[in-house]
Amino acid sequence: MKIIDISKTIQYNANDPFFMKVKIKHKPHKKAKWLIRFLGLPFKLFPKNFVGWADDSIEKMGVHATTHIDAPWHYSPTCKGKPAKTIDEIPLEWCFGQGVVIDMKHKKDFDPITVNDIKTFLEKEKISLFPSMIVLIKTGRDKYMGTKDFPYKGTGMSAAATKWLIEQGIKVMGIDAWGWDLPLPYLIEQAK
């Protein structure tokens, strides 16, 4: 089985909106001398020019700044009449397995991906979905990562298409755009 890493790198992007900013603090080597003292180790155990270990910490990171998974709890406190799973309750098996990439790069910005779009692609490619399969939607909008346009451009899944995938037994779905739906600023404008 070929494993494909689709994660979005954790990095600072100057063009990200405030809610997506990542702030990484790099602590220099000399700051780590306290650790050697804390551990009670004599400095003579370390190379002559050793000044300590460097360390990094992520001080701020918006959810949409990186690859993430939205647990059912994100959308509702209940699912099928039971408490919805929180992120720590998602079985790891859901996140590993056979999958399919559904190419929707042809969709224009703000044109939702429909059930018919998905069915047409699957029929053309002679692909069948089965329960617990992972479905990834390729919109090509990942090219905007790190730019001001990332959360503002793209296509996204319609409610009907999402419901249809769930009815096929699909539990994990992903997209290369900022979010699963059409861009949020566009949806807000439409709602107003």
Side-chain angles (χ1 to χ4, degrees):
M1 175 184 284
K2 182 178 180 182
I3 297 175
I4 301 169
D5 180 2
I6 58 167
S7 54
K8 181 178 180 285
T9 306
I10 298 173
Q11 65 185 29
Y12 172 79
N13 290 312
N15 291 318
D16 282 345
F18 74 93
F19 52 88
M20 285 178 56
K21 290 272 191 227
V22 173
K23 184 176 180 186
I24 301 171
K25 185 172 184 179
H26 303 288
K27 298 174 189 160
H29 293 85
K30 62 184 178 182
K31 295 260 184 177
K33 282 199 171 192
W34 71 269
L35 182 57
I36 296 170
R37 287 190 186 96
F38 175 77
L39 296 173
L41 297 170
F43 285 103
K44 67 181 181 182
L45 293 177
F46 297 89
K48 187 176 182 181
N49 295 329
F50 183 76
V51 291
W53 299 278
D55 192 19
D56 298 321
S57 62
I58 299 172
E59 296 190 343
K60 178 185 173 205
M61 185 168 63
V63 166
H64 286 267
T66 64
T67 304
H68 69 285
I69 188 167
D70 289 333
W73 174 260
H74 178 67
Y75 298 100
S76 175
T78 59
C79 184
K80 295 183 178 180
K82 298 179 184 173
K85 289 185 185 321
T86 56
I87 196 66
D88 56 314
E89 296 170 330
I90 297 290
L92 189 56
E93 299 83 55
W94 284 13
C95 303
F96 178 84
Q98 283 189 298
V100 61
V101 176
I102 297 176
D103 190 342
M104 291 288 125
K105 291 189 309 257
H106 66 280
K107 296 294 284 186
K108 294 185 187 314
D109 289 341
F110 317 115
D111 183 17
I113 298 165
T114 66
V115 175
N116 189 55
D117 291 328
I118 295 171
K119 286 181 175 181
T120 299
F121 174 84
L122 294 172
E123 287 168 15
K124 179 182 164 211
E125 298 297 321
K126 297 178 176 63
I127 297 171
S128 297
L129 298 181
F130 56 84
S132 299
M133 187 178 225
I134 296 170
V135 171
L136 302 175
I137 307 296
K138 183 177 190 170
T139 68
R141 295 339 190 269
D142 56 322
K143 68 184 176 188
Y144 294 118
M145 275 192 261
T147 73
K148 290 179 182 178
D149 288 333
F150 190 46
Y152 302 101
K153 287 193 173 194
T155 181
M157 297 297 288
S158 67
T162 302
K163 184 174 187 252
W164 185 82
L165 287 172
I166 292 167
E167 289 168 352
Q168 307 313 301
I170 307 303
K171 292 185 184 203
V172 175
M173 305 166 212
I175 196 163
D176 61 357
W178 180 79
W180 183 250
D181 308 302
L182 292 175
L184 186 58
Y186 173 80
L187 290 176
I188 291 169
E189 207 49 48
Q190 294 303 304
K192 289 178 181 178

